[in-house]
Amino acid sequence: MGKPFTIQIEDDLKIEDLKKKTGLKTKIEVVRMALNVLESELVKKQKIQRWAKVAKIVGDADLEILKEFQTKDRFKDLP
């Protein structure tokens, strides 16, 4: 069995309210659902951070490549 968990009165009222709104049977189901939502939000945040890092790396590389093609001579032969 796990360690006892002391819940404040205000938190207990919130859990009871959420239990009624979600239709869950027990308080622990509410807490588990909240933990699952929190965990999924954290995973989402971590994915966004990884994508931002990758996008910056790719974006910087693209800028270097574009600089190679930005010459005045490329418009020389246009009508």
Side-chain angles (χ1 to χ4, degrees):
M1 186 94 188
K3 294 182 179 181
F5 189 66
T6 306
I7 297 176
Q8 301 297 319
I9 294 172
E10 300 85 20
D11 296 331
D12 187 52
L13 294 173
K14 287 180 185 178
I15 291 171
E16 282 294 331
D17 187 44
L18 287 170
K19 187 172 91 169
K20 290 176 187 173
K21 288 180 180 178
T22 57
L24 298 173
K25 295 179 182 179
T26 63
K27 290 179 184 178
I28 194 63
E29 288 177 338
V30 174
V31 173
R32 285 183 183 137
M33 179 184 276
L35 288 173
N36 289 338
V37 169
L38 181 62
E39 184 179 25
S40 68
E41 287 293 320
L42 180 60
V43 167
K44 182 179 174 181
K45 184 178 179 180
Q46 290 172 337
K47 285 181 181 179
I48 290 171
Q49 288 174 344
R50 283 195 309 262
W51 277 101
K53 184 178 178 180
V54 169
K56 182 174 177 7
I57 291 170
V58 171
D60 290 345
D62 284 346
L63 286 175
E64 289 177 25
I65 292 170
L66 282 174
K67 286 179 185 177
E68 293 178 18
F69 292 99
Q70 292 180 348
T71 62
K72 295 178 182 178
D73 294 337
R74 68 184 172 145
F75 297 114
K76 181 173 66 175
D77 295 329
L78 291 176

